[in-house]
Amino acid sequence: ERAELNIDKVVDDLVNFRPKIIVANVGLHLLHLWNFGKDRGNIESWLGYEDSLQEMVVVAETAGAEVLLLKTTNFVCIDKYVGDWAKGVRLYNEHDEETLDKCFSSYKKTFPETMVRDIDIMDYCKHAVIDERGSLGLNRRLHQFVESARGRHPSLKIAVFDDHDLETCETTAVEDGRHHHPINLARIRLLGNHLDCLYNWDGMVSTSH
């Protein structure tokens, strides 16, 4: 059920490339709209989001990177949803009992051998919806993880690359609501600003930011 990160392959590729900076992202694909067109959002990876982030830290350290930027989950504009997605997100946001019960039973039927606790399945059905609440929930966990990880990994500069606040309903398309390609240039500029703060001009990682 959980999409395991193939660490060995990723590390091999990165060690050969020898990057100084790694930007990593996981978030949207963990969220769901069960029974409304986006089933099988990854419940185990959502529950273990911090474990996935820790795997990225291990990969970055093993590859010899100096900086790891962990990107926020995108802003989600449900006003751009149409059809089943619009109906589904409305029902989930209303905590519609029938919708939540169907989410729970559909998951149990699809994964009859699951070891995930019933209480965690229902928590996922309620709080891992692919909307702005689901995105912000992951982003809160991301910021908390980074704060704790910095102390555990002093040799690696770990920071959040927060492009979420650049994104609005105007920067995503109808029938999408979650990708923001029109502002890619602005996101690249923001990334450059982050790196300016993390690096001194001589190319050494700064400890003052």
Side-chain angles (χ1 to χ4, degrees):
E1 296 163 40
R2 182 163 178 249
E4 296 290 344
L5 183 62
N6 187 339
I7 294 180
D8 291 339
K9 183 179 187 308
V10 173
V11 170
D12 287 344
D13 290 344
L14 288 174
V15 166
N16 290 332
F17 187 64
R18 302 302 297 172
K20 290 185 176 181
I21 301 161
I22 296 174
V23 182
N25 175 35
V26 59
L28 280 178
H29 297 289
L30 307 184
L31 304 176
H32 78 89
L33 270 178
W34 268 90
N35 299 310
F36 292 95
K38 191 180 187 301
D39 298 349
R40 301 195 185 192
N42 202 306
I43 185 171
E44 290 192 352
S45 289
W46 182 80
L47 291 169
Y49 181 51
E50 291 79 4
D51 294 334
S52 296
L53 297 174
Q54 182 62 34
E55 288 176 354
M56 295 175 192
V57 173
V58 171
V59 168
E61 287 187 323
T62 305
E66 297 173 352
V67 174
L68 173 63
L69 291 177
L70 296 170
K71 196 188 97 59
T72 50
T73 299
N74 286 0
F75 170 79
V76 179
C77 178
I78 62 173
D79 291 344
K80 296 298 181 77
Y81 286 178
V82 299
D84 286 345
W85 278 53
K87 178 181 178 181
V89 80
R90 175 179 59 80
L91 290 170
Y92 276 109
N93 282 336
E94 292 172 354
H95 298 288
D96 178 71
E97 185 174 343
E98 181 180 358
T99 299
L100 293 173
D101 287 345
K102 283 184 178 179
C103 173
F104 178 87
S105 60
S106 295
Y107 184 85
K108 296 281 279 189
K109 182 178 180 180
T110 303
F111 301 108
E113 304 299 323
T114 184
M115 299 299 291
V116 179
R117 300 180 306 167
D118 287 356
I119 190 173
D120 290 330
I121 297 173
M122 185 55 74
D123 187 39
Y124 178 76
C125 287
K126 290 180 178 179
H127 302 298
V129 176
I130 187 163
D131 59 11
E132 185 60 0
R133 291 186 304 114
S135 174
L136 290 175
L138 288 176
N139 289 340
R140 282 192 295 269
R141 293 167 67 182
L142 173 63
H143 281 277
Q144 290 168 1
F145 172 84
V146 168
E147 285 300 314
S148 65
R150 285 170 174 162
R152 300 194 307 270
H153 303 274
S155 64
L156 180 66
K157 188 70 174 178
I158 306 171
V160 175
F161 174 45
D162 189 351
D163 62 348
H164 173 278
D165 291 345
L166 290 179
E167 301 159 353
T168 69
C169 285
E170 285 69 44
T171 61
T172 187
V174 174
E175 299 186 16
D176 183 355
R178 60 205 186 278
H179 301 104
H180 301 267
H181 302 304
I183 59 167
N184 280 347
L185 182 57
R187 296 158 105 178
I188 292 170
R189 287 172 177 160
L190 178 64
L191 176 60
N193 290 337
H194 273 285
L195 296 177
D196 276 344
C197 289
L198 290 168
Y199 271 79
N200 289 322
W201 288 109
D202 60 3
M204 298 300 292
V205 176
S206 172
T207 59
S208 61
H209 296 280

